[in-house]
Amino acid sequence: MGRFFGLPPGRGGASPLGRNNIFAQGWNGGRKSPNASRVRTKAGSAASAGSVQSPGAKWRAHMWKSTLTATSLGMTGDLVAQGLGRYNRVKTMKADGQDTSDVPLLDVKRFFKMATFGFFYYGPLQGVWYPALDRVFPMDRTLGMAKNLFPFGMKVTLNQLLLGPMVVPVVFAWTLILEKQMHRIPEKIKNDTWPTLMKGWKFWVPAACINFSIVPLQYQILYMSSCGIFWNAILSAASAS
């Protein structure tokens, strides 16, 4: 909140035990022992191989981290939205002299909808989106913002023009499908997508500028998901209206 790339993002690292490492060599009375050297070298190589994750394993770990992060923070955003909504509703009812004892503390079904949206769609989408942007528009932070202006601008622009429209209509459709009200999807998307995107852009453009200019790649999903607590509050309120 496109393009999808097969991006095992990890880069292979060198073995912690190089060929010249004294601990990978065998010694016998000050002389090298060929047998001991071979045994210890094999053991060192096996230990090194076991300590380095394959690109596929790193990618799976990255996707799980992205999915669980987005899901948990999405649920937090819904709790914030429901809490604020309940507070305003109770306040209005009290001002009108109405009984507020029947106002539920939590709409569990609504909470479940936002949780599943984060787990099955928004989290995996972010896990692919940010590494893809970084690969297509790499930035060298040692050169300063002037040298990175083009990739920086493209990241911010695409984040708003592509990611936002890939999220807002889908969360509306997702919610209505789970409510078994599929007939309302076209009208909901037509009436509420643009106003929700406008609200989102006012928040996300500054947030994205900070994300792509300051935050390291490995923390971008966490940062944007943390900002997404407020965005999910907006989405949750909009999808529930």
Side-chain angles (χ1 to χ4, degrees):
M1 270 228 304
R3 302 179 214 167
F4 294 91
F5 298 80
L7 298 173
R11 294 187 177 91
S15 170
L17 291 178
R19 286 184 297 179
N20 295 326
N21 192 311
I22 190 171
F23 296 105
Q25 301 173 359
W27 294 84
N28 182 12
R31 296 176 299 167
K32 289 185 179 179
S33 170
N35 292 333
S37 178
R38 283 195 294 269
V39 171
R40 293 181 185 180
T41 300
K42 288 180 180 179
S45 300
S48 299
S51 63
V52 178
Q53 280 187 315
S54 67
K58 287 183 178 180
W59 180 244
R60 287 190 295 272
H62 161 77
M63 290 300 294
W64 272 112
K65 180 180 178 181
S66 171
T67 298
L68 296 177
T69 298
T71 302
S72 60
L73 293 175
M75 292 188 296
T76 303
D78 181 64
L79 290 176
V80 170
Q82 289 203 46
L84 292 175
R86 185 181 186 279
Y87 172 81
N88 292 329
R89 181 181 176 186
V90 169
K91 184 178 179 180
T92 301
M93 291 176 67
K94 285 183 176 179
D96 295 337
Q98 301 179 32
D99 182 17
T100 62
S101 59
D102 293 334
V103 179
L105 290 175
L106 178 68
D107 185 338
V108 178
K109 290 183 178 179
R110 172 177 158 179
F111 181 77
F112 173 77
K113 294 169 195 171
M114 296 305 296
T116 54
F117 173 75
F119 185 83
F120 290 108
Y121 183 75
Y122 194 32
L125 176 62
Q126 286 190 107
V128 173
W129 178 258
Y130 290 112
L133 278 185
D134 195 68
R135 181 169 181 173
V136 177
F137 302 105
M139 293 174 62
D140 188 345
R141 298 178 189 274
T142 64
L143 298 179
M145 182 52 66
K147 298 289 186 179
N148 289 299
L149 192 58
F150 174 73
F152 169 76
M154 289 301 298
K155 285 182 176 182
V156 173
T157 300
L158 293 176
N159 215 50
Q160 305 313 309
L161 296 184
L162 292 182
L163 184 61
M166 284 194 294
V167 171
V168 174
V170 175
V171 73
F172 293 159
W174 188 281
T175 301
L176 291 173
I177 288 172
L178 292 180
E179 291 177 356
K180 299 181 180 180
Q181 299 184 38
M182 281 83 78
H183 62 282
R184 291 184 53 203
I185 292 176
E187 180 184 2
K188 179 72 173 176
I189 291 176
K190 179 181 177 181
N191 294 337
D192 292 350
T193 296
W194 181 248
T196 305
L197 284 174
M198 290 291 289
K199 291 178 182 177
W201 288 337
K202 293 176 182 178
F203 172 76
W204 279 118
V205 170
C209 287
I210 295 173
N211 185 49
F212 294 125
S213 61
I214 298 175
V215 181
L217 175 63
Q218 63 267 33
Y219 300 119
Q220 285 183 4
I221 292 173
L222 177 61
Y223 168 79
M224 293 299 271
S225 294
S226 299
C227 293
I229 290 177
F230 302 99
W231 172 238
N232 277 286
I234 295 172
L235 280 181
S236 180
S239 64
S241 63

